[in-house]
Amino acid sequence: MSLLTKIGGPRDLRTLSRRQLTSLAAEIRGFLINRVSRTGGHLGPNLGVVELTLGIHRVFNSPHDPIIFDTGHQSYVHKILTGRAEGFEHLRQRGGLSGYPSRSESEHDWVENSHASTALSWAEGLAKGFRLRGEERTVVVVVGDGALTGGMAWEALNNIATQPDLRIVIVVNDNGRSYTPTVGGLAKHLAGLRTDRRYERALSFIKNRLHRTPVLGRPVYDLLHGFKTGVKDVLAPQGMFSDLGLKYTGPIDGHDIRAVIGHLEQARQFEGPVLVHAITRKGKGFKAAEEYEKDQFHAIGRIDEVTGQPLSDAVQATWTDAFGDAMVRIGERRTDIVAITAAMLHPTGLNRFAAAFPDRVFDVGIAEQHAVVSAAGLARAGLHPIVAVYSTFLNRAFDQILMDVALHGEGVTFALDRAGVTGSDGPSHNGVWDLSMLGLVPGIEVSAPRDQPRLVAALERAVTVRDAPTVLRYSKERLPDEMPAVTSRGKGRDQVDLLRVDTDASILIVGYGQYAGIGLGVAEKLAAEGVPCTVADPAWCIPLSPVLIRLAQEHEIVVSIEDNLVTGGLGEKLLARIAGTGPQVLIFGISRGFLAQGTREEVLDGLGLTARDIARQVLEAMLRGRVETTQPV
């Protein structure tokens, strides 16, 4: 009988022998490859933490002892061991299992970690709270996939190190990677510990000798392999973690269940912060993942569970592809163009630019704040930096955009991938806040292109702006077909493209970016009901184009559709400018809140943001004889 079917919760692990745990690890890997290949998800990171997670749940008492994953996409094995294996049939699907820890799913999930470098701060707060309440609990933190490159992690470590009575066990899942190989001084230091041949040779010699000694051999080896008396301290006596005042053990083989359990048990006995350094391999146990040099199957779509080949019918060009190609073309003409990303070289499409101009691209690790200020410095030095990140991750660097880029009038361009509703990654990864935040920044200019030609044109213009930040936002979806303008009004930043102009149109539909196509769909459905429309797409949505304001005032009704919060969006800004001048305004956008996971289409359908639903609401408003000027926010 399968061992996995016997695991209903963490306590069931304590009845298994070390050999059975090794067998269970193999079963879990097979289970992950089988299930995640069908649904898509973060396969590589979870294949690498199987033994670590088994060891943690064997040694510690979850949920009494909180287990926090940084980042949360490493939590699949944790979910399996806490009774959620059956849910993997619907992983990251609407109403199904989240791809991250979720408090609504299980009492074993304390923190819904989905952005990197935050877990140590959570752990410090939890452990401090338990201490104040007189509760003897140990907080376990799994830090990996490049999370220690984030400055917030070091702020937390700085505070943890000053509190020697905090019961925290920090498990460093050191696979040398985030999406791709981890960068920076810390990565080099850890790599040195992993690969120091003196350490490996000395440890191998001691291991072979001591294992010939009955009874005492293994315990003595574990001791020497462990805390500060170990061989590591002879060869690297100034280890950074020890210098911080943290107890340190390792590095250990994170795939050796015996070693993992042994070191975690030692760490649990301390009544203060302990760091367990485990070396793991991302994609462990799946040959296709291990050999995929790009990212070891960090995040996948549906694949063949044997070959690892994608199961999609055809590869379709995405916005990311279009941006990557445009960057190379601009880079060929402009030697002052440089690129920065935060551990997302491939996901943002900058790998093409890096291949062509390796000296002009900088991956700073999971450090968005540093990326933005570094870009300001590059601009000040006479270059034009382009910072490429996911929209949701730019949230972290708002202060730096405001005070370091905009205040200083530096020409920095931000390329925001995954803007708008992203879907299956859940509430934390939707890029629906950027326009609302960025609209507060003086002098900033934001474009949301509707198709590839407009993306190229916006990027070409953005890199000519020398005295203010510029932003391009676009989705992760496939590129839509080209949507040429019937005619245009205005020029440059103020240009407004008219995508449809019906005779005697009394309704103006403003749809931009990913919603330009929906705007055309709404117009078609209204035209079928005898309601003529004009459809407009502003080339730059921030600042509000005076041409768009005049165009709105030429119509009786204005319908604004956008892939952003209603609060602070273009529709709200337009309403404020034309209020009392005649046109009535109906605003469609994202309500203020967090969106449940599902496909993009499912999420939009649930929000009523489809051409069918919007056209119906416009008709209903016209039949009532008035148009509501606000939507729930």
Side-chain angles (χ1 to χ4, degrees):
M1 184 178 180
S2 166
L3 286 170
L4 185 55
T5 60
K6 299 179 180 179
I7 305 300
R11 65 169 55 90
D12 295 329
L13 297 176
R14 293 167 201 141
T15 65
L16 302 182
S17 67
R18 298 289 199 272
R19 179 172 295 181
Q20 286 177 311
L21 287 172
T22 299
S23 298
L24 178 59
E27 284 190 36
I28 290 174
R29 282 198 171 87
F31 177 91
L32 285 171
I33 293 168
N34 176 264
R35 298 300 194 277
V36 181
S37 66
R38 300 178 185 180
T39 62
H42 289 92
L43 179 58
N46 287 283
L47 291 175
V49 297
V50 176
E51 289 84 4
L52 280 183
T53 312
L54 281 168
I56 289 168
H57 276 293
R58 170 70 172 249
V59 173
F60 296 94
N61 181 25
S62 177
H64 178 79
D65 296 326
I67 300 171
I68 305 173
F69 290 85
D70 188 349
T71 60
H73 63 237
Q74 301 176 90
S75 65
Y76 290 9
V77 184
H78 164 76
K79 288 174 181 273
I80 292 169
L81 298 178
T82 53
R84 287 172 275 178
E86 292 184 2
F88 275 79
E89 297 291 342
H90 302 287
L91 177 68
R92 301 170 73 244
Q93 297 174 10
R94 188 177 187 181
L97 201 65
S98 170
Y100 298 94
S102 172
R103 291 174 297 173
S104 65
E105 285 180 7
S106 172
E107 62 179 347
H108 295 278
D109 292 0
W110 280 76
V111 180
E112 304 194 12
N113 263 28
S114 48
H115 286 187
S117 309
T118 64
L120 288 166
S121 295
W122 272 101
E124 191 267 352
L126 279 168
K128 191 160 52 181
F130 294 149
R131 182 187 63 193
L132 290 170
R133 291 171 60 89
E135 299 179 17
E136 292 191 1
R137 296 184 175 197
T138 299
V139 183
V140 183
V141 191
V142 181
V143 183
D145 268 14
L148 281 178
T149 61
M152 189 175 174
W154 291 92
E155 294 175 23
L157 281 172
N158 183 54
N159 281 272
I160 290 170
T162 64
Q163 303 174 79
D165 57 344
L166 282 187
R167 299 173 67 95
I168 298 176
V169 174
I170 302 165
V171 180
V172 176
N173 169 31
D174 183 8
N175 57 23
R177 309 182 72 88
S178 47
Y179 279 84
T180 48
T182 307
V183 300
L186 171 65
K188 291 181 180 179
H189 184 88
L190 294 180
L193 291 178
R194 287 197 303 272
T195 60
D196 191 316
R197 292 184 178 180
R198 297 173 300 157
Y199 171 69
E200 294 298 333
R201 285 196 299 265
L203 197 61
S204 178
F205 174 80
I206 294 170
K207 181 178 180 179
N208 291 335
R209 291 283 179 162
L210 289 179
H211 279 187
R212 297 175 188 173
T213 305
V215 184
L216 294 178
R218 181 74 196 202
V220 172
Y221 166 71
D222 287 341
L223 180 63
L224 287 175
H225 192 28
F227 291 94
K228 298 181 73 173
T229 56
V231 178
K232 189 275 306 179
D233 292 295
V234 176
L235 299 173
Q238 301 300 319
M240 70 178 82
F241 299 113
S242 297
D243 290 346
L244 276 172
L246 298 173
K247 294 292 184 180
Y248 174 96
T249 174
I252 62 171
D253 181 355
H255 301 302
D256 180 342
I257 191 66
R258 183 186 183 96
V260 169
I261 291 174
H263 284 266
L264 289 175
E265 286 177 339
Q266 292 180 50
R268 182 173 56 86
Q269 294 172 16
F270 279 86
E271 295 183 355
V274 182
L275 188 145
V276 180
H277 181 190
I279 309 301
T280 64
R281 185 171 185 182
K282 202 167 184 176
K284 171 74 172 176
F286 189 13
K287 184 179 179 181
E290 292 179 0
E291 295 179 350
Y292 190 57
E293 293 184 2
K294 176 181 174 182
D295 64 0
Q296 266 73 62
F297 284 11
H298 176 85
I300 61 169
R302 295 177 62 248
I303 62 172
D304 185 287
E305 67 177 284
V306 176
T307 67
Q309 292 298 309
L311 294 180
S312 55
D313 295 332
V315 177
Q316 297 177 312
T318 65
W319 286 94
T320 306
D321 296 326
F323 167 73
D325 290 341
M327 281 290 295
V328 173
R329 289 196 295 272
I330 290 177
E332 290 170 345
R333 301 193 318 271
R334 292 269 302 268
T335 59
D336 63 322
I337 298 296
V338 294
I340 303 175
T341 190
M344 290 192 164
L345 192 70
H346 288 273
T348 60
L350 280 183
N351 55 301
R352 296 172 172 85
F353 189 86
F357 314 105
D359 295 333
R360 290 159 55 188
V361 64
F362 309 100
D363 186 345
V364 301
I366 303 176
E368 292 85 1
Q369 293 169 306
H370 168 68
V372 173
V373 182
S374 178
L378 286 163
R380 185 67 171 166
L383 301 169
H384 192 106
I386 298 175
V387 181
V389 295
Y390 286 5
S391 167
T392 185
F393 298 142
L394 194 71
N395 297 351
R396 296 178 154 197
F398 174 76
D399 182 72
Q400 287 68 36
I401 295 171
L402 182 67
M403 294 299 176
D404 294 287
V405 178
L407 176 64
H408 290 80
E410 300 297 347
V412 177
T413 296
F414 298 92
L416 304 187
D417 205 316
R418 273 68 168 177
V421 175
T422 56
S424 58
D425 276 325
S428 62
H429 277 55
N430 289 304
V432 297
W433 296 282
D434 53 49
L435 281 175
S436 299
M437 293 190 307
L438 295 174
L440 301 172
V441 177
I444 201 167
E445 300 179 11
V446 182
S447 176
R450 67 179 180 270
D451 57 18
Q452 183 173 11
R454 258 48 66 171
L455 172 65
V456 173
L459 184 59
E460 292 280 1
R461 183 186 176 279
V463 297
T464 67
V465 179
R466 297 287 187 180
D467 59 354
T470 52
V471 181
L472 279 65
R473 71 187 300 267
Y474 44 88
S475 85
K476 72 171 186 177
E477 304 298 316
R478 72 170 184 85
L479 277 169
D481 294 334
E482 185 176 342
M483 290 176 268
V486 175
T487 186
S488 298
R489 295 191 186 184
K491 294 182 179 180
R493 188 183 69 182
D494 296 332
Q495 180 175 319
V496 176
D497 290 339
L498 301 183
L499 308 184
R500 178 179 179 131
V501 181
D502 291 343
T503 304
D504 298 326
S506 61
I507 294 180
L508 173 67
I509 299 173
V510 182
Y512 63 102
Q514 191 71 2
Y515 278 13
I518 292 182
L520 286 170
V522 172
E524 289 181 8
K525 293 186 179 302
L526 290 175
E529 299 296 329
V531 180
C533 301
T534 299
V535 179
D537 171 28
W540 293 79
C541 47
I542 295 176
L544 191 62
S545 168
V547 175
L548 182 63
I549 294 171
R550 291 194 295 271
L551 183 63
Q553 292 171 332
E554 296 171 6
H555 294 78
E556 297 177 10
I557 298 172
V558 176
V559 179
S560 171
I561 312 171
E562 54 195 319
D563 206 0
N564 184 74
L565 295 184
V566 169
T567 304
L570 182 146
E572 191 175 79
K573 289 181 172 63
L574 186 59
L575 171 61
R577 291 295 298 273
I578 66 176
T581 63
Q584 296 177 300
V585 181
L586 185 59
I587 303 173
F588 292 90
I590 312 298
S591 299
R592 191 165 58 230
F594 296 103
L595 304 176
Q597 70 190 32
T599 65
R600 176 180 165 83
E601 291 73 21
E602 289 171 338
V603 173
L604 295 182
D605 185 67
L607 293 170
L609 291 176
T610 65
R612 178 193 66 248
D613 290 330
I614 294 171
R616 175 181 53 77
Q617 292 185 58
V618 172
L619 287 171
E620 289 175 353
M622 293 177 68
L623 290 173
R624 291 196 303 268
R626 63 185 179 87
V627 175
E628 300 291 343
T629 58
T630 60
Q631 289 286 296
V633 297

